[in-house]
Amino acid sequence: MKLAQRVGRVSPSSTLRITAEAKAMVARGVDVIDFASGEPDLDTPLPVKDAGIAAIRSGFTKYTAAGGIDELKQAVIEKLRRDQGLSYDKSQVLISCGAKHSLYNLAQAFIEAGDEVIIPAPYWVSYPDQVLLNDGTPVLVPTEEATGFQLTGALLERHVTARTKAVIVNSPGNPTGAAYDRKTLEGIAEVALRHGLLIISDEIYEKLLYDGLTHVSIASLGPEIQARTIVVNGVSKAYSMTGWRIGYAAGPKDLIAAMTTVQSQSTSNPTSISQKAAVAALNEGAIFIKEMVGEFDQRRRYMVERLNKIQGVQCAMPKGAFYAFPHIGGLIGRHTPDGPLASATALAGYLLKEARIALVPGEAFGAPEYLRFSYATGMQNIVAGLDRIDEAIRRLS
Ligand SMILES: *Cc1c(COP(=O)(O)O)cnc(C)c1O
C-alpha cells in the first residue's frame, strides 16, 4: 500500500518499543527488570482516583468542550499562578490527552514545510518526530555533559536561520535530568526574543527536582517572554497518572485557539472522567508529590553511586526527572561471546539478553554514548538490577 510520505520520516517511539519488548519477555515468564519505562511506579493517589470514580457515578461521562472543562482550566490557571507567578485567562489554556498531545496540536497549528525547530540534544524522543510529521525540519543542537546538558543563548544563536520558528526547552529534562538555571534561561530568552522565535517549554518534570532546587519556568522571566512562550505540562509524571491522559498548554491566545481547533477536529475532548481526576490532582496532590520525590531521591543516589562503580561507566548526578544518564563510551568495543559491542544499542541488547534488564540506548535521544536508566521502579529492583548489570559487564572481555 502506498502510505503518506510523512509516515516514512518517523519511527515508532523507541522507548515505547523497548518497554513493549520487555513486557513481552515478562509475559513469557522471563524476570526482566524494567529500567526503560518512562513512568512513575507509584499508584495514582487515592483522592485522584476517588474524583474519577465520583465523576463516573455522577454521570459525568459525556463529551465536554473540545478544549477541556472550565473547572480544569481554572485549576491549571491557579497552579501556574501559585507555582510560577504566571497569569493566564481561560482563552490561553488548552487541556489535551497528555502533554504529548498538546505538543502535537502545537506542531500541527504552528509548523509548516521548511520551518526549522531547534531541539537541544539529548532530546525527548518525540520532539523531532512530531516536527517531521508536520513537514518541518528538526535542527538538533548537541549540548555537553560538562555544561549540564543545557542549551545556551550562544549555542542557540549559532543555529538560528531565517527559517527558525521555535526552540524547545525541556527543564527538568528527559533523558538527562538537566535542570536549567535562571541565567541560562535568560540567555535563551534574549536570543529567542531578538529573532522572534516561539519558545516551547516542556515542564512535565517540574515537580521532580532534588537537592532543594526550585523550578524556573522560562515564561516567568518577564511579560515579553511569556508572550512568546508556550508552556506545556501535565499530570502524568507529577501525580503518577500516565494512563489517565491529561496534559495542558498555556500560551498566546491565537496559538491556543488554533491548537484547540486542531484538537476539536481530531480527538475532541480529553476524557471527561480524567479531567475531573486531574482537577483533584492539581488542587490536592502536593503531599503525594513530596513523598514521591523523597522516594525517588534515595533511588537516584543509590543508582548513580552503583553506576559509577562499574568500570567504563561514568554517571553525573541528575538534578531532576527520574532518569540516570550514564556515559558508557568506555564499554564500546568491549567483547561479548558474539563479538564486540559496537554501540549503546548493542550494549542495551546485550544487557537485555544476558542480564534481563530493559534500558533505552542513547541513540534514541541523539546521544550515542549513553544509556538511559529509569529509577521509577522499586528499590529492590534497582539493587537486583544493578547487581545483574555489574555481573554481566564483568563478563565482557
Ligand atoms: C512523558 C513526557 C511527556 C508526555 O507526557 P504525557 O503523558 O503525554 O502527558 C512529554 N515530555 C516529556 C519530556 C516526557 O518525558
Side-chain angles (χ1 to χ4, degrees), residues 52 76 193 209:
V76 167
L193 280 191
L209 275 169

Side-chain angles (χ1 to χ4, degrees), residues 305-333:
E305 193 187 311
R306 286 288 308 265
L307 285 169
N308 279 319
K309 285 188 180 148
I310 301 173
Q311 215 194 354
V313 177
Q314 281 144 346
C315 189
M317 191 61 81
K319 293 181 171 155
F322 42 65
Y323 310 101
F325 200 58
H327 183 262
I328 50 79
L331 298 175
I332 307 291

Side-chain angles (χ1 to χ4, degrees), residues 38-40 96-103 123-127 130 170-175 202-205 232-237 241-248 321-323 372:
E39 60 182 345
S96 303
C97 312
K100 186 186 265 187
H101 185 216
S102 275
L103 287 164
Y123 47 77
W124 181 51
V125 291
S126 294
Y127 299 139
Q130 291 199 349
N170 175 213
S171 176
N174 174 5
D202 179 348
E203 305 183 12
I204 192 96
Y205 292 102
V232 177
N233 203 331
V235 296
S236 284
K237 309 288 162 63
M241 290 177 69
T242 45
W244 297 76
R245 309 307 305 128
I246 296 291
Y248 55 86
F322 42 65
Y323 310 101
R372 191 188 75 174

Side-chain angles (χ1 to χ4, degrees), residues 118 141 151-160 167 187-188 191-192 197:
I118 292 183
V141 176
L151 177 72
T152 60
L155 255 180
L156 173 60
E157 181 83 65
R158 223 175 296 153
H159 290 85
V160 171
V167 54
I188 294 169
V191 176
L197 309 183

Side-chain angles (χ1 to χ4, degrees), residues 200-212:
I200 302 167
S201 184
D202 179 348
E203 305 183 12
I204 192 96
Y205 292 102
E206 163 211 12
K207 297 292 182 186
L208 294 164
L209 275 169
Y210 309 102
D211 302 326

